[in-house]
Structures are given as C-alpha cells and as structure tokens.
Amino acid sequence: MDARSAALVRANFQSVLDAPHGPERLVSAFYGHLFAENPRLRELFPPTMDMQAKRLATAIQYMLDHLEDWDRAQKFLEQLARDHRKYGVEAAHYDQAGPALFAAFQTYNGPNWTRELAGGWRDVCLLISAAMAIGANSDDSPPYWEATVVGHRHVLDDLAIVRLQSDDPIPYLAGQYVPVSVPQRPRMWRYLSPAIPSNPYGEIEFHVRKVRSGWVSPSIVNETEVGDRWLIGGPLGGLQVDQDNGRDVLMIGSGTGIAPLRAQLIEMGRRGINPRVHFFIGGAYPCDLYDVENMWQLSQSNPWLTIVPVCEHKTNPWWYPHPTEDAPYGMHRRLVGNLGAVVASFGAWEDRQIQIAGSAKMIADTRRALLAVGTPEEIISTDPV
Ligand SMILES: Cc1cc2nc3c(=O)[nH]c(=O)nc-3n(C[C@H](O)[C@H](O)[C@H](O)COP(=O)(O)OP(=O)(O)OC[C@H]3O[C@@H](n4cnc5c(N)ncnc54)[C@H](O)[C@@H]3O)c2cc1C
C-alpha cells in the first residue's frame, strides 16, 4: 500500500473516531452487511454486542498504526483470529468478513466515498482478512480451556483476586492476556491478564476490578464462588521483556494493570540474570496499592528490581475504614502526583524498554507525559486497550 493511500485511510478512520457514535455506526454497518449475507454467523456472537464497536475500532487503529511495521500488525491480527475461534469463527469466515468491512466503510462514508478511498480500504480489508484467515488456520490448540475457581478474595471494595485451577496447563507467556467467560455471564468474553506466570500445575490468578455499570466485572467481583467453572481462551498480546536487547526496563502500572507486569517479574525472579527493572506502581490513594508490599518483598530477594509507589493523594480518603499506613521500613517512600508526570519527572528513560499497563486513560496520559520529555515512542509497549 503506498504512502498516499495509507494517509488517506488513516485520515478517514480518524474522522470515524471523531464523529459522535462514529465507531458504533461503522460497526453496526459491518455486522449489518455480514449478517445480511450470512445470517447463520449471528448465532456465533454474544447476545449483546455493545463492546464490539470499541474492539473493532481498537483493532483497526492498531493495524493502521503499524502499516509500516507489518510484521507486528500481522502478528496482532493472527492472534485476534485465534482468539475468535472461541466463538466458533473459522478461517473461511474471513472471506466474508473482509468484504463486509469494506462495504461498512462505503456505507459509513456515503456521498463522501471516492475511488481513492475505495482503493485504500479495499487493500486494508484484504490485508486484515488474509492475516486473520492465516491466524485462524495456524493453531491446533483448543479454542479455550476449562478451569475451576479455587479462591476468591476481596482485597478492596471493588477489587477481587480470583485463583483458578485449569484442567490442563494454559500455555500463555507472562505478560499476555486471555479471554475469559464466567458462568454468571455466559458467552460474554472479557480479556483479563494473568497475574502469575503459567505453570505445570494449571494454577492461574486474576485481579479483577469492578467497572460500574459493567456486565461482567461486577459479577466476577461480587458473585464468583469457589467451584465455578470458567472458560479461558487462547493467550494474546506481546508485553514482554526483551532479555537480549541490552536495555534495562521501566514498568509503569496502575490498578489491575499491574497484573501482566507482576507475572513477568515473578517469572524473571526464577532466572539468575536479569536487566535492571524500575517498577512504578500507581493508584489514586495509598489504599489502592493493594499489591505493592508483595512486589516489594519480591524486590528484597531480587536486587535488579526497584519498586516505586506513587499516589495521587497523600492519605486515604475519609470514607476508607483504615488510616494511612507508612510504607514498610526500607521500601521506597510513596511519591505523590500523577503517575505519568512523576515517572517523566525523572527524565526520558530513553535507554530503557518501557511497558505501560492500566486503563486506556492511564496509558494515554502516561505515554503523553513521557513523549513530552523526549521518550522515543518506539521503546514504549502497551496492550491494545
Ligand atoms: C488487554 C486487556 C487486558 C485486561 N486485563 C484486565 C485485568 O487483568 N483485570 C481487569 O479487571 N480488567 C481487565 N481488562 C478489562 C476487562 O476486559 C473488561 O473490559 C472490564 O472488566 C469491564 O468489563 P465489564 O463487562 O464489566 O464492562 P462492559 O459491560 O464491557 O462495559 C460497561 C461500560 O463500562 C465501560 N468500561 C469498560 N471498561 C472500563 C474501564 N476499565 N474503565 C472505565 N469504563 C470502562 C465500557 O465502555 C461500557 O460503557 C483488560 C482489558 C484488556 C483490553
């Protein structure tokens, strides 16, 4: 695809994102075309499709951002197709999805549809459907594994740690995330990041925060019971420390975003030699740093690891039942301020490999703060949230 076409489709997609309900209109045109041509495909998807707009927009944006780094985009799309196997979507279905996506852009653009736009989007839709068909065909592993809840613990009012035992070990890499379906909300798959590395015993742990008005997370936090059977789909994502590139590591995580970073650090703790890691753990209040002491304990036996707690407020909120405790003796003192601003106040960290994990807003704010002090964009990795 030439640079002019790439610029054209990027600008066109930005106009979709900027328009009120643009992604929702695009995704409804996409599924409208897809299901009109192939009505039986509707049965494969969950009853409520309200998260699909955001997911589709995130996937298209990610691949448009990586048109010049196609290996990375291809890997992402292949993973996405492997992930869709949990719905029963097969390689052949992408022959129908590509044209439906193209038709959706045409419908969305209406009278503004030009020959150049048609050429650009045709190329993009072909690239997407071809990469996803390859992905769907390239994996013999099961589309999902089954696991039993063996522990459920509230660590904050709105945050629970859930431990499961899978029937067979799930071959994810520390730092990856997995789609999960729980019995209280069948077929409503949500991504969660395992907080411990994969192990031969099939033990797996998730940290889940309740999103107000969410369908699945409140149910996981409030209704999960020991003995529940969960479905866990194939792993996705590429947050990983490159042990060979000679760079030290900067990790920045807040809320349950610490999970994929924590899993990598626990795994690194099993190795003898590691690059130096600074891990900034953020939260609104000191009480939000629910796992900081565990991470600090890990750093006690792993001198390559430094834990730095950061809070926006110095003390716990008035309604929190416990007073603000001092950090344990020896732990880095809690820094106060916006997480991204605090990290950037130390400099550009340009000699590091950087991972940021948390909410979409936290990732965007932190990335912006780092870019503003001169951090090269290509050393920053995040999950597509
Ligand atoms: C790569 C990846 C890894 C993830 N890992 C974890 C994890 O380890 N632990 C965890 O708790 N969650 C994680 N999430 C988020 C999780 O997948 C769900 O999106 C989240 O639990 C909300 O699901 P829900 O069904 O409750 O809300 P939905 O019913 O899906 O959404 C309800 C409403 O809330 C909004 N919303 C969704 N998520 C958020 C949010 N985070 N903040 C504010 N508003 C939101 C939606 O836009 C929608 O309007 C991860 C997401 C991604 C993409």
Side-chain angles (χ1 to χ4, degrees), residues 263-332:
Q264 293 175 78
L265 293 172
I266 294 173
E267 183 165 87
M268 288 167 77
R270 296 172 182 163
R271 276 195 222 115
I273 297 172
N274 282 300
R276 202 157 48 113
V277 181
H278 279 83
F279 184 12
F280 285 77
I281 302 183
Y285 298 100
C287 58
D288 289 324
L289 306 183
Y290 65 95
D291 198 49
V292 75
E293 287 196 27
N294 286 334
M295 291 294 93
W296 177 65
Q297 293 291 352
L298 185 69
S299 74
Q300 295 302 286
S301 47
N302 291 283
W304 45 268
L305 176 60
T306 304
I307 302 296
V308 186
V310 182
C311 294
E312 281 167 35
H313 304 273
K314 211 170 172 175
T315 53
N316 287 336
W318 62 267
W319 42 261
Y320 189 73
H322 306 292
T324 311
E325 285 179 13
D326 289 337
Y329 180 73
M331 192 198 284
H332 196 292

Side-chain angles (χ1 to χ4, degrees), residues 51 177 190-193 207-209 211 214-218 256:
M51 282 308 286
Y177 55 94
R190 294 292 185 268
Y191 294 128
L192 297 177
S193 307
H207 298 184
V208 184
R209 179 158 238 150
V211 168
W215 280 94
V216 179
S217 59
T256 56

Side-chain angles (χ1 to χ4, degrees), residues 26-42:
L26 178 72
V27 86
S28 117
F30 169 60
Y31 285 113
H33 286 290
L34 186 65
F35 298 149
E37 292 292 322
N38 314 277
R40 293 188 59 194
L41 282 183
R42 179 65 187 94

Side-chain angles (χ1 to χ4, degrees), residues 68-318:
E68 289 80 12
D69 179 9
W70 187 245
D71 281 354
R72 204 150 150 186
Q74 167 121 9
K75 209 164 142 201
F76 170 73
L77 291 166
E78 286 178 14
Q79 281 191 349
L80 206 60
R82 285 199 285 274
D83 177 30
H84 273 64
R85 292 182 314 140
K86 67 182 187 258
Y87 294 125
V89 178
E90 294 166 6
H93 292 136
Y94 294 103
D95 295 342
Q96 293 136 18
L101 186 58
F102 177 76
F105 278 110
Q106 185 172 10
T107 306
Y108 182 91
N109 280 286
N112 301 324
W113 189 242
T114 60
R115 207 144 49 91
E116 289 76 22
L117 262 185
W121 280 123
R122 183 170 294 109
D123 287 350
V124 169
C125 295
L126 266 174
L127 285 171
I128 293 180
S129 53
M132 293 189 78
I134 292 171
N137 264 335
S138 66
D139 198 341
D140 298 332
S141 61
Y144 53 78
W145 287 259
E146 295 193 39
T148 306
V149 173
V150 292
H152 176 264
R153 187 164 64 91
H154 276 267
V155 286
L156 295 173
D157 258 5
D158 62 349
L159 199 151
I161 294 183
V162 185
R163 295 202 169 98
L164 297 107
Q165 175 92 52
S166 59
D167 297 353
D168 295 300
I170 304 173
Y172 63 88
L173 301 173
Q176 288 193 299
Y177 55 94
V178 290
V180 166
S181 163
V182 302
Q184 292 79 5
R185 295 282 183 271
R187 285 171 67 207
M188 297 182 74
W189 294 85
R190 294 292 185 268
Y191 294 128
L192 297 177
S193 307
I196 57 172
S198 174
N199 59 70
Y201 317 107
E203 297 156 347
I204 186 161
E205 171 178 314
F206 297 110
H207 298 184
V208 184
R209 179 158 238 150
K210 181 162 75 179
V211 168
R212 219 178 293 157
S213 80
W215 280 94
V216 179
S217 59
S219 156
I220 295 180
V221 172
N222 295 333
E223 297 165 32
T224 298
E225 289 186 4
V226 169
D228 282 355
R229 295 281 286 169
W230 286 20
L231 306 182
I232 299 177
L236 298 131
L239 274 189
Q240 255 165 0
V241 170
D242 185 341
Q243 295 275 347
D244 301 324
N245 78 358
R247 284 171 176 267
D248 287 334
V249 181
L250 169 63
M251 291 182 169
I252 310 161
S254 76
T256 56
I258 64 164
L261 310 177
R262 176 188 203 276
Q264 293 175 78
L265 293 172
I266 294 173
E267 183 165 87
M268 288 167 77
R270 296 172 182 163
R271 276 195 222 115
I273 297 172
N274 282 300
R276 202 157 48 113
V277 181
H278 279 83
F279 184 12
F280 285 77
I281 302 183
Y285 298 100
C287 58
D288 289 324
L289 306 183
Y290 65 95
D291 198 49
V292 75
E293 287 196 27
N294 286 334
M295 291 294 93
W296 177 65
Q297 293 291 352
L298 185 69
S299 74
Q300 295 302 286
S301 47
N302 291 283
W304 45 268
L305 176 60
T306 304
I307 302 296
V308 186
V310 182
C311 294
E312 281 167 35
H313 304 273
K314 211 170 172 175
T315 53
N316 287 336
W318 62 267

